[in-house]
Amino acid sequence: MAKVSTSVSSSRRKSRKAHFTAPSSVRRKILSASLSKELREKYHARSLPIRKDDEIQIVRGTYKGREGKVTEVYRRKWVIHVDKISKDKPN
């Protein structure tokens, strides 16, 4: 398959570097989530960036299916903190 955009590299090394050294404004867009069917109709968008106080449903991982409210979006660490969902330290 030919490269679609000539301004973006298709190199794995360069794309990983661009991803992990992305500025906060770009991380905001990367940390976006797909919307439910009702919200898609309302906002005319498939996905939107996650913000504080959003109501979310977790779709992957240990807490799959749980719902909660976003308390913090930590862009530097690529983390979203959700109310009432946290890992307990073993010690």
Side-chain angles (χ1 to χ4, degrees), residues 13-40:
R13 177 184 184 179
K14 288 182 183 178
S15 62
R16 282 179 57 83
K17 183 179 181 186
H19 177 82
F20 290 110
T21 61
S24 181
S25 57
V26 175
R27 288 180 186 222
R28 176 179 178 270
K29 191 163 185 179
I30 294 171
L31 285 172
S32 61
S34 57
L35 298 175
S36 63
K37 292 210 167 50
E38 305 88 54
L39 291 174
R40 280 184 202 167

Side-chain angles (χ1 to χ4, degrees), residues 48-80:
L48 289 173
I50 295 175
R51 296 182 356 184
K52 186 178 177 182
D53 297 329
D54 280 353
E55 293 286 328
I56 62 158
Q57 180 181 12
I58 298 170
V59 293
R60 291 216 174 96
T62 313
Y63 303 104
K64 181 177 178 179
R66 304 257 303 268
E67 293 182 9
K69 193 173 192 178
V70 175
T71 55
E72 183 184 15
V73 179
Y74 203 154
R75 292 185 200 161
R76 185 181 294 169
K77 289 188 174 182
W78 301 93
V79 171
I80 297 164

